[in-house]
Amino acid sequence: MSRMFDLVKQLTELTGPANYEESVQEVLRELWEDRVEELRSDPVGNLYARWGGSGRRVLIGAHADEIGLLVKSVTEDGFLWPTSGTGGSEMNPPASFNVGQRVRVVGDRATLPGTLVTVTGHVATKEQRDRGVPGWKDIFVDVGAADAGELEEAGIRPGCPIAWDVATRRVGNTIVGKAMDDRAALAVMTSLLETIPKEDLRCEVHLVSTVQEELGLVGAIPAAAEGFDAALALDVGLAGDIPPVGMDQFPARLGGGPILGYKDASVHYSREILGELAAVGQKIGVPTQPAVFLQYGSDGAAWIRHGLPAALLAFPTRYTHSPFETVNAGDLLGLRDLIGAWITREK
Ligand SMILES: [Zn+2]
């Protein structure tokens, strides 16, 4: 339990928005290198590990990138205007990015701490006070710079990422922090390597940590071209166990075990693999929660589109795409044990 928390904390606290996943891939290299037969990266930054075993070629994957903003422009006084870092447009308010959140702005030469801020209290005009939900023209970033020259020195320019700066912590029965999506899944994959002896594998197991999932499953596409027979996409699963949602809308809860995802916004996942996982879970006493997600996608959708049968296997998560994503360590251990039993079973 404690090792799982340490792995989740180590991986979620890294700054790795889309196109800046290197720090995550580097830490994974260190965690994985002594336990796998081969480690390599592809030209777009996906990290692959051939773990071991022989027979059916199985891919287990999760994504390294996290939700983030981008610098849209820099003012002469040294403030930053943000824009979306995950596709989409500015038609909607900046979603989970809110005033008061601590951030890191990653420049070409230095990373600066900052705060997402807006006009407040005494200096706000009546119109600004009445505006309600802050929009893209209300929220900006203050890094405490004296002028634009200091940002120039750090190499901060339009296109630099702005990531949340949050310490991951235990809260009651949960773990709370940013980037559970999808680093908690990378922690599960690391824990698999640390607990399952390679000799027990009954298929040829490969791991992948993909890039740019949050923009539209980008890194998953080259991974699909590697000729695997089956894949598991590990990702956050939507939980309904909070007051404004409800189990009738999202019938999965924290502590209820791994979620078997049957469908998301764009694909139906492999019934065959999901059936195998459900049966394995029953056999080893790990409860699973079947679900369908609507406003949701995973690397598994890209894999199916490119000819690789895939299942979505998720851990229940509250408040997805926020800096307070909330998970349960027991679910992560259950997910690990379920995958472990699936790749070591005699067929
Ligand atoms: Zn995700």
Side-chain angles (χ1 to χ4, degrees):
M1 202 70 120
S2 158
R3 175 63 181 151
M4 183 62 85
F5 173 77
D6 291 346
L7 285 171
V8 169
K9 185 171 171 65
Q10 182 182 9
L11 290 164
T12 53
E13 289 183 356
L14 296 169
T15 297
N19 212 20
Y20 286 76
E21 297 92 347
E22 303 94 295
S23 59
V24 180
Q25 308 297 47
E26 259 164 49
V27 168
L28 290 175
R29 271 183 177 276
E30 283 164 26
L31 288 167
W32 293 1
E33 66 188 349
D34 292 342
R35 299 175 187 276
V36 300
E37 291 171 353
E38 188 198 30
L39 261 184
R40 70 189 168 82
S41 300
D42 71 11
V44 295
N46 291 317
L47 176 68
Y48 300 86
R50 191 181 68 217
W51 183 0
S54 62
R56 179 157 82 146
R57 297 186 78 225
V58 167
L59 179 66
I60 302 170
H63 63 90
D65 57 311
E66 65 183 286
I67 290 283
L69 296 172
L70 289 182
V71 175
K72 178 164 59 182
S73 64
V74 179
T75 75
E76 281 178 13
D77 295 334
F79 296 95
L80 305 169
W81 285 106
T83 189
S84 169
T86 51
S89 68
E90 293 188 357
M91 306 252 293
N92 299 314
S96 304
F97 291 87
N98 277 312
V99 170
Q101 291 171 354
R102 293 157 63 139
V103 293
R104 291 186 192 126
V105 185
V106 184
D108 295 332
R109 289 176 285 281
T111 295
L112 302 185
T115 314
L116 283 171
V117 294
T118 194
V119 167
T120 64
H122 306 91
V123 299
T125 62
K126 180 166 186 322
E127 196 215 336
Q128 285 166 332
R129 277 200 301 271
D130 291 347
R131 198 128 70 201
V133 181
W136 290 103
K137 288 193 170 162
D138 302 305
I139 294 186
F140 55 102
V141 180
D142 189 342
V143 295
D147 52 40
E150 287 186 14
L151 298 176
E152 168 83 43
E153 235 168 79
I156 290 171
R157 46 151 178 87
C160 284
I162 302 166
W164 281 312
D165 180 1
V166 177
T168 298
R169 61 188 185 131
R170 286 194 176 93
V171 179
N173 297 307
T174 65
I175 306 174
V176 180
K178 72 168 178 78
M180 297 297 160
D181 181 6
D182 198 16
R183 314 269 173 74
L186 293 168
V188 167
M189 283 157 60
T190 304
S191 178
L192 265 174
L193 284 179
E194 292 180 354
T195 53
I196 306 258
K198 196 186 297 179
E199 307 74 60
D200 291 359
L201 298 177
R202 291 292 172 272
C203 46
E204 186 182 312
V205 184
H206 297 250
L207 307 179
V208 66
S209 169
T210 60
V211 296
Q212 300 200 38
E213 188 270 353
E214 297 290 1
L215 279 87
L217 324 178
V218 176
I221 294 169
E226 305 262 327
F228 298 106
D229 301 310
L232 301 181
L234 311 187
D235 217 318
V236 292
L238 313 179
D241 62 343
I242 53 174
V245 182
M247 296 289 283
D248 55 339
Q249 297 306 310
F250 288 94
R253 67 169 71 252
L254 261 63
I259 295 174
L260 304 176
Y262 281 83
K263 181 191 169 290
D264 66 18
S266 71
V267 290
H268 293 273
Y269 289 96
S270 165
R271 263 164 46 213
E272 189 192 339
I273 303 172
L274 289 165
E276 291 170 4
L277 291 165
V280 165
Q282 208 156 29
K283 192 168 166 200
I284 63 167
V286 170
T288 53
Q289 309 186 80
V292 290
F293 302 143
L294 299 178
Q295 301 162 57
Y296 184 101
S298 88
D299 280 345
W303 290 337
I304 292 176
R305 277 202 175 77
H306 290 80
L308 171 58
L312 169 61
L313 192 49
F315 46 96
T317 309
R318 296 175 185 159
Y319 326 113
T320 52
H321 287 187
S322 78
F324 45 89
E325 290 184 324
T326 299
V327 302
N328 170 278
D331 291 330
L332 300 178
L333 293 171
L335 179 56
R336 179 200 66 191
D337 293 344
L338 180 63
I339 301 168
W342 184 68
I343 55 182
T344 57
R345 78 197 195 288
E346 302 286 350
K347 274 195 93 173

